[in-house]
Amino acid sequence: MKHLAAYLLLGLGGNTSPSADDVKGVLSSVGIDADPDRLDKLIKELEGKDLQELISEGSQKLASVPSGAGGGGGAAAPAAGGAAGGAAAAEKEPEKEPEKEEESDEDMGFGLFD
């Protein structure tokens, strides 16, 4: 990921086809050593490809991936008669307001700047 991030940063900076040395320069500027095998593979995979086109293709692929709201099934839906009774019970139950805790000015012997 760090190699790809550096490659994309170079692309955003105007370098349309960053080299391995360019990516190494970005990574070394923040104290990260580049992995030569991964970097060579990344450069070979992205050579001659337009970054904006790759990003738009990736966005389209991600849009088709289901996300959220499928978290494990939950409870079974009640029967039709049970649903009406459950809704009536839910309406009758008054909403409880959360109790506010009193804030004190005591610092318990600790000061922020002691």
Side-chain angles (χ1 to χ4, degrees):
M1 286 302 283
K2 60 187 172 187
H3 300 93
L4 179 59
Y7 190 94
L8 291 173
L9 282 172
L10 288 164
L12 286 173
N15 188 345
T16 56
S17 58
S19 67
D21 289 333
D22 294 334
V23 174
K24 284 180 187 177
V26 169
L27 292 175
S28 67
S29 72
V30 292
I32 298 175
D33 294 327
D35 180 2
D37 295 332
R38 288 185 179 191
L39 183 55
D40 290 340
K41 182 178 179 182
L42 175 74
I43 297 297
K44 287 177 186 175
E45 291 286 327
L46 297 177
E47 188 174 6
K49 296 182 181 177
D50 180 35
L51 289 178
Q52 296 300 324
E53 188 176 311
L54 290 173
I55 291 171
S56 66
E57 287 175 10
S59 296
Q60 290 173 356
K61 288 180 182 180
L62 285 175
S64 66
V65 175
S67 63
E91 290 176 11
K92 292 179 185 177
E93 192 172 312
E95 293 183 23
K96 296 180 181 178
E97 293 183 22
E99 295 179 18
K100 295 181 182 177
E101 293 183 22
E102 293 182 22
E103 294 183 23
S104 68
D105 291 334
E106 295 180 27
D107 60 1
M108 297 175 51
F110 298 93
L112 183 59
F113 299 104
D114 287 343

